[in-house]
Amino acid sequence: MTRTATAMDRVATCVVGMLAVALGVAAILWNLDAIKDFPARIEIPWAEDLVDHSWWPWAVGTGGVLLVLLALRWLIAHVPLRRVKEITVPGSNSHNSITADLGAVAEGASASLEDFDEVSRVRGKALLDRGVRTIDLRVTLRRSVVSGSETLSELISRVTDTGDQVESMVGDPSVATRTHIAVESAKRDEPRTL
């Protein structure tokens, strides 16, 4: 999701939330007769007359179309991050074009981290994150790694080396490497030890 979509989501959520709270408080106060001179029934005569006009169906139809377009815009803004297939490697010219498959680079980086004994799973993908081509690696460690700090520091060193290897393989320092490290969750039937 883009930053603009995230900001619009937060503003819309805030506005809708404040309106819901205000309407809820007003309904409670109205039900308790806490506000003096507040009518028991609200009548809006001009609203009842609207449906009799010939332009009313067109206005409602136009409003519906605008809401559908707004909803489509909102859905498009929430499309997941785009995958990156290939990039042109620096050193290419108009006669010779050399490309690198970032998906294959991500798979290779994943494979190099899977060799580590304490790693239970690695997933790698190439994507475009806020305009930056990124190799995203998600490393899941076995629970035993938590007790061995030396093992964890070795893994972090290997992750750093993998990022450096990705940069040297692609030859483009603008390609970012992002690594998420997590510890696998305990199974429900596994006894807890302290």
Side-chain angles (χ1 to χ4, degrees):
M1 190 163 52
T2 63
R3 289 183 183 181
T4 306
T6 303
M8 288 182 67
D9 275 355
R10 290 179 181 167
V11 170
T13 302
C14 182
V15 169
V16 169
M18 288 190 300
L19 281 174
V21 168
L23 287 173
V25 170
I28 291 170
L29 293 176
W30 186 21
N31 192 29
L32 297 174
D33 291 329
I35 302 173
K36 294 181 180 181
D37 300 328
F38 205 75
R41 182 176 171 181
I42 299 174
E43 293 183 12
I44 308 172
W46 60 267
E48 294 174 5
D49 295 336
L50 284 177
V51 294
D52 295 333
H53 290 88
S54 61
W55 54 264
W56 178 249
W58 292 100
V60 172
T62 303
V65 168
L66 289 175
L67 286 175
V68 167
L69 292 175
L70 183 66
L72 286 174
R73 171 67 180 101
W74 183 81
L75 286 172
I76 290 169
H78 287 78
V79 171
L81 299 174
R82 233 176 29 184
R83 300 262 175 148
V84 179
K85 300 269 185 192
E86 293 181 344
I87 64 166
T88 303
V89 176
S92 300
N93 55 39
S94 59
H95 302 293
N96 297 319
S97 177
I98 304 170
T99 59
D101 182 358
L102 284 185
V105 172
E107 289 174 13
S110 299
S112 73
L113 292 174
E114 280 178 343
D115 294 340
F116 201 78
D117 292 336
E118 298 299 330
V119 172
S120 66
R121 183 178 50 163
V122 181
R123 288 182 300 149
K125 61 184 173 183
L127 50 87
L128 189 65
D129 185 12
R130 289 175 242 153
V132 178
R133 293 167 300 192
T134 305
I135 302 290
D136 185 60
L137 302 171
R138 298 190 180 262
V139 182
T140 305
L141 304 177
R142 298 190 200 319
R143 292 192 61 77
S144 60
V145 80
V146 177
S147 59
S149 59
E150 290 181 11
T151 306
L152 188 58
S153 63
E154 288 175 23
L155 176 67
I156 291 172
S157 174
R158 182 173 286 190
V159 165
T160 305
D161 292 344
T162 301
D164 293 341
Q165 289 173 0
V166 166
E167 184 180 335
S168 66
M169 281 191 308
V170 175
D172 187 353
S174 68
V175 176
T177 304
R178 177 176 54 206
T179 306
H180 302 269
I181 300 175
V183 178
E184 65 184 5
S185 58
K187 296 176 183 173
R188 292 186 179 180
D189 56 349
E190 184 178 298
R192 291 187 176 185
T193 57
L194 300 176

